[in-house]
Protein backbone atom coordinates (compact mmCIF):
# COMPACT_ATOMS: atom_id res chain seq x y z
CA UNK A 1 0.00 0.00 0.00
CA UNK A 2 1.77 3.11 -1.18
CA UNK A 3 -0.83 5.86 -0.82
CA UNK A 4 -0.82 7.79 2.47
CA UNK A 5 -3.75 7.06 4.74
CA UNK A 6 -6.54 9.54 5.22
CA UNK A 7 -7.87 7.32 8.03
CA UNK A 8 -5.73 4.88 9.98
CA UNK A 9 -6.96 3.27 13.17
CA UNK A 10 -5.40 0.49 15.21
CA UNK A 11 -6.61 -1.52 18.17
CA UNK A 12 -9.77 0.54 18.56
CA UNK A 13 -12.32 -0.39 21.22
CA UNK A 14 -15.59 1.42 21.89
CA UNK A 15 -18.35 1.12 24.45
CA UNK A 16 -21.89 2.28 25.04
CA UNK A 17 -21.94 2.22 28.82
CA UNK A 18 -21.20 -1.37 29.83
CA UNK A 19 -21.74 -2.67 26.31
CA UNK A 20 -18.36 -3.34 24.64
CA UNK A 21 -19.18 -2.83 20.97
CA UNK A 22 -15.86 -2.46 19.10
CA UNK A 23 -13.28 -5.01 20.20
CA UNK A 24 -9.92 -4.13 18.73
CA UNK A 25 -10.41 -2.84 15.21
CA UNK A 26 -7.67 -2.06 12.70
CA UNK A 27 -8.98 -0.13 9.71
CA UNK A 28 -7.39 2.01 7.05
CA UNK A 29 -8.53 4.18 4.18
CA UNK A 30 -5.88 5.33 1.73
CA UNK A 31 -6.05 8.71 0.02
CA UNK A 32 -8.67 8.51 -2.70
CA UNK A 33 -9.58 4.93 -1.80
CA UNK A 34 -13.17 3.66 -1.61
CA UNK A 35 -13.64 1.16 1.22
CA UNK A 36 -16.86 -0.79 1.70
CA UNK A 37 -17.89 -1.70 5.24
CA UNK A 38 -20.15 -4.74 5.52
CA UNK A 39 -21.67 -6.81 8.30
CA UNK A 40 -25.06 -7.87 9.56
CA UNK A 41 -27.30 -5.67 11.71
CA UNK A 42 -25.77 -4.58 14.98
CA UNK A 43 -22.22 -5.72 14.16
CA UNK A 44 -20.78 -2.25 14.78
CA UNK A 45 -20.57 -0.57 11.38
CA UNK A 46 -22.20 2.71 12.41
CA UNK A 47 -20.34 2.64 15.71
CA UNK A 48 -17.02 2.31 13.88
CA UNK A 49 -17.88 5.29 11.68
CA UNK A 50 -19.06 7.32 14.66
CA UNK A 51 -15.93 6.41 16.61
CA UNK A 52 -13.66 7.58 13.78
CA UNK A 53 -15.71 10.78 13.63
CA UNK A 54 -15.35 11.43 17.36
CA UNK A 55 -19.03 10.96 18.21
CA UNK A 56 -18.50 7.90 20.42
CA UNK A 57 -16.68 9.21 23.46
CA UNK A 58 -16.03 5.94 25.28
CA UNK A 59 -13.20 4.65 23.14
CA UNK A 60 -9.60 3.49 23.24
CA UNK A 61 -6.94 2.87 20.64
CA UNK A 62 -5.09 4.83 17.99
CA UNK A 63 -7.09 6.97 15.59
CA UNK A 64 -5.19 8.94 12.97
CA UNK A 65 -6.90 11.17 10.42
CA UNK A 66 -4.78 12.78 7.69
CA UNK A 67 -1.73 11.84 9.74
CA UNK A 68 -2.93 13.61 12.91
CA UNK A 69 -3.66 11.93 16.21
CA UNK A 70 -7.43 12.17 16.65
CA UNK A 71 -7.69 9.56 19.42
CA UNK A 72 -9.31 12.01 21.82
CA UNK A 73 -10.61 14.54 19.29
CA UNK A 74 -14.07 16.04 19.11
CA UNK A 75 -16.25 15.71 15.99
CA UNK A 76 -15.60 19.25 14.69
CA UNK A 77 -11.83 18.63 14.85
CA UNK A 78 -12.16 15.50 12.71
CA UNK A 79 -14.48 17.29 10.29
CA UNK A 80 -11.94 20.08 9.91
CA UNK A 81 -9.40 17.54 8.63
CA UNK A 82 -11.65 16.89 5.64
CA UNK A 83 -13.90 14.05 6.76
CA UNK A 84 -17.56 14.54 5.82
CA UNK A 85 -20.34 12.40 7.21
CA UNK A 86 -23.69 11.46 5.71
CA UNK A 87 -25.37 9.77 8.68
CA UNK A 88 -28.01 7.06 8.74
CA UNK A 89 -31.35 8.83 8.51
CA UNK A 90 -29.88 11.82 6.63
CA UNK A 91 -29.54 14.85 8.90
CA UNK A 92 -30.53 17.86 6.86
CA UNK A 93 -32.19 20.96 8.29
CA UNK A 94 -35.93 20.52 7.61
CA UNK A 95 -36.79 24.18 8.20
CA UNK A 96 -34.19 25.52 5.79
CA UNK A 97 -34.48 25.52 2.02
CA UNK A 98 -32.37 23.32 -0.21
CA UNK A 99 -30.15 26.28 -1.07
CA UNK A 100 -29.78 27.30 2.59
CA UNK A 101 -28.87 23.74 3.54
CA UNK A 102 -26.14 23.72 0.90
CA UNK A 103 -24.74 27.18 1.58
CA UNK A 104 -24.63 26.60 5.32
CA UNK A 105 -22.31 23.66 4.79
CA UNK A 106 -20.00 25.43 2.32
CA UNK A 107 -16.36 25.79 3.16
CA UNK A 108 -12.94 25.33 1.63
CA UNK A 109 -11.22 21.97 1.88
CA UNK A 110 -8.11 21.28 3.93
CA UNK A 111 -5.67 22.87 1.54
CA UNK A 112 -7.96 25.72 0.61
CA UNK A 113 -9.52 23.75 -2.25
CA UNK A 114 -12.93 24.90 -3.40
CA UNK A 115 -13.60 22.30 -6.06
CA UNK A 116 -17.15 21.80 -4.87
CA UNK A 117 -19.56 24.70 -4.77
CA UNK A 118 -23.30 25.09 -5.17
CA UNK A 119 -23.10 24.97 -8.98
CA UNK A 120 -21.13 21.75 -9.09
CA UNK A 121 -23.30 20.06 -6.47
CA UNK A 122 -26.43 21.03 -8.40
CA UNK A 123 -24.92 19.66 -11.61
CA UNK A 124 -24.51 16.37 -9.77
CA UNK A 125 -28.10 16.51 -8.45
CA UNK A 126 -30.33 18.12 -11.09
CA UNK A 127 -33.39 17.27 -8.95
CA UNK A 128 -32.14 19.61 -6.25
CA UNK A 129 -31.68 22.39 -8.78
CA UNK A 130 -35.42 22.26 -9.45
CA UNK A 131 -36.17 22.49 -5.72
CA UNK A 132 -33.74 25.13 -4.51
CA UNK A 133 -36.43 27.14 -2.74
CA UNK A 134 -38.21 24.15 -1.21
CA UNK A 135 -37.91 23.45 2.48
CA UNK A 136 -35.98 20.35 3.52
CA UNK A 137 -39.16 18.82 4.91
CA UNK A 138 -40.91 19.15 1.53
CA UNK A 139 -38.40 16.86 -0.17
CA UNK A 140 -38.90 13.18 -0.89
CA UNK A 141 -36.69 10.70 0.95
CA UNK A 142 -34.44 10.38 -2.09
CA UNK A 143 -34.10 14.14 -2.46
CA UNK A 144 -33.27 14.48 1.23
CA UNK A 145 -30.54 11.90 0.81
CA UNK A 146 -29.18 13.77 -2.21
CA UNK A 147 -29.21 16.99 -0.20
CA UNK A 148 -27.37 15.28 2.63
CA UNK A 149 -24.65 14.11 0.22
CA UNK A 150 -24.63 17.53 -1.43
CA UNK A 151 -24.06 19.17 1.95
CA UNK A 152 -21.15 16.83 2.62
CA UNK A 153 -19.56 17.68 -0.74
CA UNK A 154 -19.94 21.42 -0.04
CA UNK A 155 -17.30 20.98 2.69
CA UNK A 156 -14.77 19.92 0.02
CA UNK A 157 -13.87 16.74 1.89
CA UNK A 158 -10.94 14.39 1.38
CA UNK A 159 -13.04 11.52 2.71
CA UNK A 160 -16.79 11.03 2.47
CA UNK A 161 -18.47 8.66 4.93
CA UNK A 162 -21.83 7.27 3.78
CA UNK A 163 -23.89 5.23 6.24
CA UNK A 164 -26.77 3.44 4.47
CA UNK A 165 -27.22 6.19 1.91
CA UNK A 166 -29.66 4.13 -0.16
CA UNK A 167 -31.78 2.86 2.74
CA UNK A 168 -35.51 2.91 2.05
CA UNK A 169 -35.26 4.54 -1.38
CA UNK A 170 -36.92 3.52 -4.65
CA UNK A 171 -34.74 1.46 -7.02
CA UNK A 172 -34.39 4.29 -9.52
CA UNK A 173 -33.14 6.67 -6.81
CA UNK A 174 -30.85 3.98 -5.39
CA UNK A 175 -29.32 3.69 -8.85
CA UNK A 176 -28.80 7.46 -9.00
CA UNK A 177 -27.12 7.47 -5.58
CA UNK A 178 -24.68 4.73 -6.64
CA UNK A 179 -23.89 6.72 -9.78
CA UNK A 180 -23.11 9.71 -7.60
CA UNK A 181 -20.87 7.57 -5.40
CA UNK A 182 -19.02 6.42 -8.53
CA UNK A 183 -18.69 10.01 -9.77
CA UNK A 184 -17.35 11.19 -6.43
CA UNK A 185 -14.87 8.32 -6.42
CA UNK A 186 -13.73 9.42 -9.87
CA UNK A 187 -12.84 12.86 -8.51
CA UNK A 188 -10.32 11.31 -6.12
CA UNK A 189 -12.23 11.76 -2.86
CA UNK A 190 -11.81 8.76 -0.57
CA UNK A 191 -14.94 7.20 0.86
CA UNK A 192 -16.26 4.68 3.33
CA UNK A 193 -19.52 3.15 2.15
CA UNK A 194 -21.90 1.16 4.35
CA UNK A 195 -24.81 -0.40 2.51
CA UNK A 196 -27.02 -3.46 2.88
CA UNK A 197 -26.61 -4.32 -0.80
CA UNK A 198 -23.25 -6.07 -0.58
CA UNK A 199 -23.14 -6.64 -4.34
CA UNK A 200 -23.34 -2.92 -5.00
CA UNK A 201 -20.66 -2.32 -2.35
CA UNK A 202 -18.36 -4.90 -3.96
CA UNK A 203 -18.95 -3.27 -7.34
CA UNK A 204 -18.16 0.25 -6.15
CA UNK A 205 -15.38 -0.23 -3.60
CA UNK A 206 -11.73 -1.10 -4.10
CA UNK A 207 -11.47 -2.81 -0.75
CA UNK A 208 -14.04 -4.28 1.64
CA UNK A 209 -13.99 -4.87 5.38
CA UNK A 210 -16.53 -7.19 7.02
CA UNK A 211 -17.38 -6.72 10.69
CA UNK A 212 -18.67 -9.43 12.97
CA UNK A 213 -19.51 -8.60 16.58
CA UNK A 214 -17.20 -5.62 16.73
CA UNK A 215 -14.22 -7.36 15.11
CA UNK A 216 -12.88 -7.39 11.57
CA UNK A 217 -13.89 -10.84 10.35
CA UNK A 218 -12.64 -10.46 6.82
CA UNK A 219 -11.05 -7.87 4.59
CA UNK A 220 -9.55 -7.71 1.17
CA UNK A 221 -9.81 -6.43 -2.35
CA UNK A 222 -13.43 -6.20 -3.47
CA UNK A 223 -12.65 -8.41 -6.46
CA UNK A 224 -11.23 -11.13 -4.17
CA UNK A 225 -14.24 -11.11 -1.88
CA UNK A 226 -16.62 -11.14 -4.81
CA UNK A 227 -14.90 -14.35 -5.89
CA UNK A 228 -15.38 -15.92 -2.42
CA UNK A 229 -19.17 -16.04 -2.00
CA UNK A 230 -19.05 -18.83 0.61
CA UNK A 231 -16.99 -16.72 3.01
CA UNK A 232 -19.23 -13.71 2.45
CA UNK A 233 -22.25 -15.89 3.04
CA UNK A 234 -20.88 -16.91 6.41
CA UNK A 235 -20.62 -13.32 7.64
CA UNK A 236 -23.44 -11.67 5.77
CA UNK A 237 -25.93 -14.52 5.67
CA UNK A 238 -26.68 -13.95 2.04
N1 LIG B 1 -26.50 4.75 21.15
C1 LIG B 1 -26.40 3.46 21.51
N2 LIG B 1 -26.48 3.09 22.80
C2 LIG B 1 -26.35 1.80 23.18
N3 LIG B 1 -26.12 0.79 22.32
C3 LIG B 1 -26.03 1.08 21.02
C4 LIG B 1 -26.17 2.43 20.54
N4 LIG B 1 -26.01 2.42 19.19
C5 LIG B 1 -25.82 1.14 18.86
N5 LIG B 1 -25.82 0.33 19.95
C6 LIG B 1 -25.58 -1.12 19.96
O1 LIG B 1 -24.25 -1.34 19.51
C7 LIG B 1 -24.17 -2.46 18.64
C8 LIG B 1 -23.62 -2.03 17.29
O2 LIG B 1 -24.57 -1.16 16.69
P1 LIG B 1 -24.29 -0.41 15.32
O3 LIG B 1 -25.39 0.58 15.16
O4 LIG B 1 -22.90 0.09 15.29
O5 LIG B 1 -24.44 -1.59 14.27
P2 LIG B 1 -24.57 -1.56 12.69
O6 LIG B 1 -23.61 -2.57 12.18
O7 LIG B 1 -24.45 -0.18 12.19
O8 LIG B 1 -26.05 -2.13 12.47
P3 LIG B 1 -27.18 -1.74 11.41
O9 LIG B 1 -26.88 -2.55 10.20
O10 LIG B 1 -28.44 -2.17 12.08
O11 LIG B 1 -27.14 -0.27 11.15
C9 LIG B 1 -25.58 -3.03 18.58
O12 LIG B 1 -25.67 -4.05 19.53
C10 LIG B 1 -26.46 -1.86 18.97
O13 LIG B 1 -27.64 -2.30 19.59
MG1 LIG C 1 -25.75 1.09 11.24
Amino acid sequence: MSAAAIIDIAGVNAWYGSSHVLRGIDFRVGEGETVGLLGRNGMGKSTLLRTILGHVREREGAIHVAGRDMSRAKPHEVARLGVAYVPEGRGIFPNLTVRENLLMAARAGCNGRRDWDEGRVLDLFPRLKERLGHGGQQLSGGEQQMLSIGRALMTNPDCLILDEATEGLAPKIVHEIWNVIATVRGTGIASIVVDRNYRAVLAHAERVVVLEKGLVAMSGAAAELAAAPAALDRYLGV
Side-chain angles (χ1 to χ4, degrees), residues 10-15 20-25 51 56 58-63 214:
V12 164
N13 287 268
W15 294 260
H20 189 180
V21 175
L22 300 183
R23 298 168 167 270
I25 301 244
T51 300
V56 178
E58 291 176 86
R59 61 183 198 249
E60 275 177 17
I63 301 177

Short mmCIF file of all heavy atoms in Angstrom, two decimals, residues 10-15 20-25 51 56 58-63 214:
data_model
loop_
_atom_site.label_atom_id
_atom_site.label_comp_id
_atom_site.label_asym_id
_atom_site.label_seq_id
_atom_site.Cartn_x
_atom_site.Cartn_y
_atom_site.Cartn_z
N ALA A 10 -6.01 1.75 14.77
CA ALA A 10 -5.40 0.49 15.21
C ALA A 10 -5.83 0.17 16.63
O ALA A 10 -5.78 1.04 17.52
CB ALA A 10 -3.88 0.59 15.13
N GLY A 11 -6.25 -1.05 16.83
CA GLY A 11 -6.61 -1.52 18.17
C GLY A 11 -7.72 -0.71 18.81
O GLY A 11 -7.68 -0.42 20.01
N VAL A 12 -8.73 -0.34 18.02
CA VAL A 12 -9.77 0.54 18.56
C VAL A 12 -10.89 -0.26 19.23
O VAL A 12 -11.42 -1.22 18.67
CB VAL A 12 -10.32 1.48 17.46
CG1 VAL A 12 -11.65 2.10 17.88
CG2 VAL A 12 -9.31 2.58 17.18
N ASN A 13 -11.20 0.15 20.44
CA ASN A 13 -12.32 -0.39 21.22
C ASN A 13 -13.31 0.74 21.47
O ASN A 13 -12.91 1.89 21.59
CB ASN A 13 -11.83 -0.92 22.57
CG ASN A 13 -11.05 -2.21 22.42
OD1 ASN A 13 -11.61 -3.29 22.51
ND2 ASN A 13 -9.75 -2.10 22.13
N ALA A 14 -14.59 0.39 21.56
CA ALA A 14 -15.59 1.42 21.89
C ALA A 14 -16.71 0.78 22.69
O ALA A 14 -17.00 -0.41 22.52
CB ALA A 14 -16.14 2.07 20.63
N TRP A 15 -17.30 1.58 23.55
CA TRP A 15 -18.35 1.12 24.45
C TRP A 15 -19.54 2.06 24.43
O TRP A 15 -19.39 3.26 24.21
CB TRP A 15 -17.84 1.11 25.90
CG TRP A 15 -16.75 0.14 26.22
CD1 TRP A 15 -16.88 -1.08 26.82
CD2 TRP A 15 -15.33 0.30 25.99
NE1 TRP A 15 -15.65 -1.68 26.97
CE2 TRP A 15 -14.68 -0.87 26.46
CE3 TRP A 15 -14.54 1.30 25.40
CZ2 TRP A 15 -13.30 -1.05 26.39
CZ3 TRP A 15 -13.16 1.11 25.33
CH2 TRP A 15 -12.57 -0.05 25.83
N HIS A 20 -19.64 -3.44 25.36
CA HIS A 20 -18.36 -3.34 24.64
C HIS A 20 -18.61 -3.67 23.17
O HIS A 20 -18.76 -4.83 22.82
CB HIS A 20 -17.39 -4.35 25.28
CG HIS A 20 -15.99 -4.21 24.79
ND1 HIS A 20 -14.96 -5.01 25.24
CD2 HIS A 20 -15.42 -3.37 23.90
CE1 HIS A 20 -13.83 -4.67 24.63
NE2 HIS A 20 -14.09 -3.67 23.82
N VAL A 21 -18.68 -2.64 22.34
CA VAL A 21 -19.18 -2.83 20.97
C VAL A 21 -18.05 -3.05 19.95
O VAL A 21 -18.12 -3.97 19.14
CB VAL A 21 -20.09 -1.66 20.56
CG1 VAL A 21 -20.50 -1.79 19.11
CG2 VAL A 21 -21.34 -1.64 21.44
N LEU A 22 -17.01 -2.23 19.99
CA LEU A 22 -15.86 -2.46 19.10
C LEU A 22 -14.75 -3.09 19.92
O LEU A 22 -14.42 -2.61 21.00
CB LEU A 22 -15.38 -1.15 18.46
CG LEU A 22 -16.39 -0.38 17.60
CD1 LEU A 22 -15.72 0.85 16.98
CD2 LEU A 22 -17.04 -1.24 16.52
N ARG A 23 -14.16 -4.16 19.39
CA ARG A 23 -13.28 -5.01 20.20
C ARG A 23 -11.88 -5.17 19.62
O ARG A 23 -11.41 -6.28 19.47
CB ARG A 23 -13.93 -6.38 20.37
CG ARG A 23 -15.25 -6.32 21.08
CD ARG A 23 -16.00 -7.61 20.98
NE ARG A 23 -17.11 -7.59 21.92
CZ ARG A 23 -17.01 -8.02 23.18
NH1 ARG A 23 -15.89 -8.54 23.63
NH2 ARG A 23 -18.05 -7.95 23.98
N GLY A 24 -11.28 -4.05 19.25
CA GLY A 24 -9.92 -4.13 18.73
C GLY A 24 -9.90 -4.11 17.22
O GLY A 24 -9.55 -5.09 16.56
N ILE A 25 -10.27 -2.96 16.67
CA ILE A 25 -10.41 -2.84 15.21
C ILE A 25 -9.20 -2.13 14.60
O ILE A 25 -8.78 -1.08 15.10
CB ILE A 25 -11.68 -2.04 14.86
CG1 ILE A 25 -12.90 -2.74 15.43
CG2 ILE A 25 -11.78 -1.76 13.36
CD1 ILE A 25 -13.88 -3.25 14.45
N THR A 51 -17.14 6.35 15.77
CA THR A 51 -15.93 6.41 16.61
C THR A 51 -14.83 7.16 15.87
O THR A 51 -14.16 8.04 16.44
CB THR A 51 -15.48 4.98 16.98
OG1 THR A 51 -16.54 4.34 17.69
CG2 THR A 51 -14.22 5.00 17.84
N VAL A 56 -18.44 8.86 19.31
CA VAL A 56 -18.50 7.90 20.42
C VAL A 56 -17.36 8.23 21.36
O VAL A 56 -16.19 8.14 21.00
CB VAL A 56 -18.37 6.44 19.89
CG1 VAL A 56 -18.37 5.45 21.05
CG2 VAL A 56 -19.51 6.13 18.92
N GLU A 58 -16.66 7.02 24.52
CA GLU A 58 -16.03 5.94 25.28
C GLU A 58 -15.26 5.05 24.31
O GLU A 58 -15.82 4.12 23.73
CB GLU A 58 -17.09 5.11 26.00
CG GLU A 58 -17.77 5.83 27.13
CD GLU A 58 -18.87 4.96 27.71
OE1 GLU A 58 -18.56 4.14 28.59
OE2 GLU A 58 -20.02 5.07 27.26
N ARG A 59 -13.99 5.38 24.13
CA ARG A 59 -13.20 4.65 23.14
C ARG A 59 -11.74 4.61 23.57
O ARG A 59 -11.29 5.44 24.36
CB ARG A 59 -13.34 5.32 21.78
CG ARG A 59 -12.85 6.76 21.76
CD ARG A 59 -13.08 7.39 20.40
NE ARG A 59 -12.26 8.58 20.24
CZ ARG A 59 -12.75 9.82 20.20
NH1 ARG A 59 -14.03 10.04 20.30
NH2 ARG A 59 -11.94 10.85 20.05
N GLU A 60 -11.03 3.64 23.01
CA GLU A 60 -9.60 3.49 23.24
C GLU A 60 -8.96 3.05 21.94
O GLU A 60 -9.62 2.46 21.09
CB GLU A 60 -9.35 2.38 24.27
CG GLU A 60 -9.44 2.84 25.71
CD GLU A 60 -9.25 1.68 26.69
OE1 GLU A 60 -8.73 0.63 26.28
OE2 GLU A 60 -9.65 1.86 27.84
N GLY A 61 -7.66 3.31 21.83
CA GLY A 61 -6.94 2.87 20.64
C GLY A 61 -6.47 4.06 19.83
O GLY A 61 -6.78 5.20 20.14
N ALA A 62 -5.70 3.77 18.80
CA ALA A 62 -5.09 4.83 17.99
C ALA A 62 -5.99 5.19 16.81
O ALA A 62 -6.40 4.32 16.05
CB ALA A 62 -3.74 4.36 17.47
N ILE A 63 -6.29 6.48 16.71
CA ILE A 63 -7.09 6.97 15.59
C ILE A 63 -6.32 8.11 14.93
O ILE A 63 -6.12 9.15 15.56
CB ILE A 63 -8.48 7.47 16.06
CG1 ILE A 63 -9.25 6.34 16.75
CG2 ILE A 63 -9.28 8.04 14.87
CD1 ILE A 63 -10.60 6.77 17.31
N GLY A 214 -18.19 -6.60 16.32
CA GLY A 214 -17.20 -5.62 16.73
C GLY A 214 -15.77 -5.97 16.40
O GLY A 214 -14.84 -5.33 16.90
#
